[in-house]
Amino acid sequence: KLLVVATGNPGKLREMQAYLADSGWELILKPEELEIEETGETFAANACLKASQIAKATGNWAIADDSGLEVDALNGAPGVYSARYAKTDSERIARLLKELGNEVNRQAQFVCVVAIASPDGAIVLQSEGICRGEILHAPRGDGGFGYDPIFYVQELQLTFAEMTRELKGSISHRGKAFTALLPQLERIKS
Ligand code: ITT
């Protein structure tokens, strides 16, 4: 069966494709001109909105990911506004570091909600993953995307940007959401 990957973010797309590679679904990319406005106030609402609307618009099954970084000392910001926080990844990182300043509480978490919609737009599956870490004072590493260079995982003593995709995927918010989702996605296919 065909599954439309409903994202316009190349970094996310690479990770989603890796998780779905052996799922047995035939992946197709979302048409670039199909853009869904994220009007929801939660990751779950936006993931469902994107999956549902892309499924309806293409007449196929669709999978969407809504994710972001919640910083404890900023009361959860940028949260669902992580993509809209600034124009480029380096400007997003610069803004976050400026807002956080010399705050000693650097605790934060990445959150990811993945949603699957059937061709009629009904949401049939949803899965959430959370990964806790700390915000560094300066970026480290050049892998990954988004806020990865400032997100440090104490247990591994590495930022997400210093990890291989496999290592990041074994502990990340997106990795956890997909690990829970894949067996159920398998069931829908058959
Ligand atoms: P789509 O909606 O088209 O999928 P988007 O980038 O707009 O792409 P979101 O609205 O879900 O997606 O925004 C998520 C933002 O959170 C993303 O742009 C990154 O800045 C950040 N983000 C999410 N997951 C991340 C990860 O694994 N590593 C680093 N940053 C991440």
Side-chain angles (χ1 to χ4, degrees):
K1 280 193 203 165
L2 292 177
L3 182 63
V4 183
V5 184
T7 181
N9 179 319
K12 242 193 215 182
L13 178 65
R14 274 196 301 277
E15 293 185 11
M16 293 173 82
Q17 282 174 319
Y19 297 126
L20 294 166
D22 300 322
S23 68
W25 288 79
E26 188 181 333
L27 305 183
I28 51 178
L29 300 187
K30 171 185 84 79
E32 214 170 307
E33 65 278 8
L34 257 184
E35 294 224 38
I36 310 301
E37 204 193 336
E38 296 181 24
T39 52
E41 285 176 13
T42 62
F43 296 111
N46 285 330
C48 292
L49 205 77
K50 287 187 273 188
S52 180
Q53 297 202 20
I54 299 284
K56 273 193 281 190
T58 61
N60 286 300
W61 291 81
I63 182 167
D65 162 316
D66 201 67
S67 46
L69 181 61
E70 295 181 331
V71 179
D72 293 5
L74 301 178
N75 297 314
V80 295
Y81 299 103
S82 294
R84 289 163 273 181
Y85 209 44
K87 273 203 298 283
T88 65
D89 280 346
S90 53
E91 287 168 339
R92 288 180 189 104
I93 287 176
R95 174 164 177 203
L96 186 63
L97 292 179
K98 185 160 166 262
E99 306 266 350
L100 205 50
N102 282 326
E103 170 65 50
V104 284
N105 176 9
R106 317 289 294 187
Q107 302 296 315
Q109 61 186 20
F110 268 121
V111 182
C112 172
V113 175
V114 182
I116 310 271
S118 54
D120 62 358
I123 298 297
V124 296
L125 287 178
Q126 250 190 92
S127 177
E128 185 185 66
I130 292 177
C131 179
R132 291 202 56 86
E134 288 160 36
I135 305 300
L136 294 182
H137 289 269
R140 269 173 47 178
D142 45 29
F145 68 99
Y147 299 88
D148 281 350
I150 52 168
F151 189 79
Y152 180 77
V153 179
Q154 186 71 50
E155 303 81 67
L156 297 173
Q157 308 246 311
L158 293 171
T159 67
F160 268 179
E162 293 174 317
M163 299 178 192
T164 61
R165 196 180 58 223
E166 291 72 27
L167 186 57
K168 180 186 170 187
S170 70
I171 55 161
S172 76
H173 50 314
R174 187 164 297 104
K176 289 175 184 165
F178 271 86
T179 301
L181 185 88
L182 285 171
Q184 304 174 59
L185 192 56
E186 181 79 22
R187 227 166 297 135
I188 297 177
K189 196 184 77 229
S190 45

